[in-house]
Amino acid sequence: MPTWLIVLIVVVAVAVLGAVIWLVTQEMQRKRLQKRFGPEYDRTVAEKDSPRAAQRELAERERRHKELDIRPLSASARERYAQQWARVQEKFVDQPSAAVTEADHVLVALMAERGYPTEGYEQQLSDLSVRHAKTLEHYRAAHATQHERSGASTEDLRDAMVHYRTVFEDLLTDGADEERHDRGHHEQDHHERRNGHDHNGHDRADTERQATAQPRTESNGGR
């Protein structure tokens, strides 16, 4: 077999292998993004020129999200926001339109305290979609009603409150388990330190006695 033919076969084989790897990588990326973004993936695909453009957009959202300082709320902050929300719901009875507006303000304040930028509605949607894609349509529906609340019926406003509450509860509780888990570890470590134990369960007092103990030496010149 001539050398040029061997080289051609190798080149073609490498090209085919590269194409297969690229296709497999793209399929894995598609499935990962679909799993993470759910309905938001299909929505983005519909808005963009192609699935690849949509995947680039969603990957860019993930990149931006990693740069944000997203943090769970403390127990006291969760209680404070829960009380604010209860007052908003009470206000809805007599002032439904004003209550919907206030619900939007409370939600935006909650986003800010969690670490989400709040410079614009579209950017809010983009940032929330990475971790809160399941409730994003609720936010869109509530915002649409709030934006046109002058012509909305009481039933429309009530629906908006329900949508806002869904997003609110999602943001309020997200990360709470992590915060409790970290606090539990911190309290356990503190308890062990107070009882004189290191992280490996050893008694630090025993460790210190062993470290400071002097070896015995024979007297009388070592006889």
Side-chain angles (χ1 to χ4, degrees):
M1 182 180 293
T3 302
W4 67 267
L5 184 55
I6 295 175
V7 172
L8 180 61
I9 293 173
V10 170
V11 169
V12 171
V14 170
V16 171
L17 179 61
V20 170
I21 293 174
W22 183 84
L23 289 172
V24 170
T25 302
Q26 290 297 308
E27 181 64 13
M28 291 175 62
Q29 172 80 335
R30 182 186 67 80
K31 289 182 177 180
R32 184 185 68 80
L33 292 172
Q34 276 186 319
K35 182 177 180 180
R36 177 157 204 175
F37 287 92
E40 188 67 12
Y41 178 90
D42 296 329
R43 184 187 182 95
T44 308
V45 169
E47 291 176 348
K48 298 296 181 179
D49 296 333
S50 67
R52 288 188 60 189
Q55 290 171 19
R56 286 194 298 269
E57 161 70 20
L58 296 176
E60 175 60 24
R61 294 187 195 182
E62 288 182 317
R63 185 200 62 77
R64 173 183 165 87
H65 190 274
K66 288 179 181 178
E67 296 177 353
L68 301 177
D69 182 22
I70 306 301
R71 51 197 176 270
L73 295 175
S74 65
S76 60
R78 286 196 299 274
E79 178 63 24
R80 172 164 48 85
Y81 276 104
Q83 291 175 358
Q84 288 183 30
W85 189 262
R87 288 193 293 270
V88 171
Q89 291 193 135
E90 291 175 359
K91 187 175 185 177
F92 184 85
V93 176
D94 298 318
Q95 299 174 279
S97 181
V100 169
T101 299
E102 191 170 338
D104 183 74
H105 293 165
V106 171
L107 185 59
V108 171
L110 175 56
M111 291 180 198
E113 189 151 348
R114 289 292 313 277
Y116 286 99
T118 56
E119 65 268 22
Y121 170 67
E122 292 299 330
Q123 189 61 58
Q124 290 172 15
L125 290 177
S126 177
D127 293 334
L128 288 173
S129 68
V130 178
R131 190 160 176 165
H132 301 277
K134 293 181 179 180
T135 57
L136 206 58
E137 284 304 309
H138 290 279
Y139 189 35
R140 285 191 174 99
H143 185 269
T145 301
Q146 193 274 333
H147 187 66
E148 301 176 355
R149 63 186 182 280
S150 58
S153 66
T154 302
E155 190 61 32
D156 292 334
L157 295 172
R158 183 177 290 106
D159 289 342
M161 284 294 295
V162 173
H163 290 308
Y164 271 132
R165 185 179 63 196
T166 302
V167 185
F168 174 82
E169 291 176 348
D170 188 24
L171 280 166
L172 188 71
T173 58
D174 175 54
D177 291 340
E178 298 173 14
E179 191 264 342
R180 282 194 292 267
H181 182 268
D182 292 341
R183 187 172 66 246
H185 273 290
H186 175 74
E187 292 174 351
Q188 181 180 0
D189 291 344
H190 180 66
H191 177 73
E192 289 179 353
R193 285 195 295 271
R194 288 186 62 184
N195 285 277
H197 291 79
D198 60 19
H199 290 290
N200 292 319
H202 299 302
D203 189 312
R204 284 196 297 177
D206 289 344
T207 303
E208 290 171 0
R209 283 196 294 270
Q210 292 172 8
T212 56
Q214 297 295 325
R216 293 183 177 180
T217 58
E218 296 182 3
S219 60
N220 300 324
R223 290 196 301 270

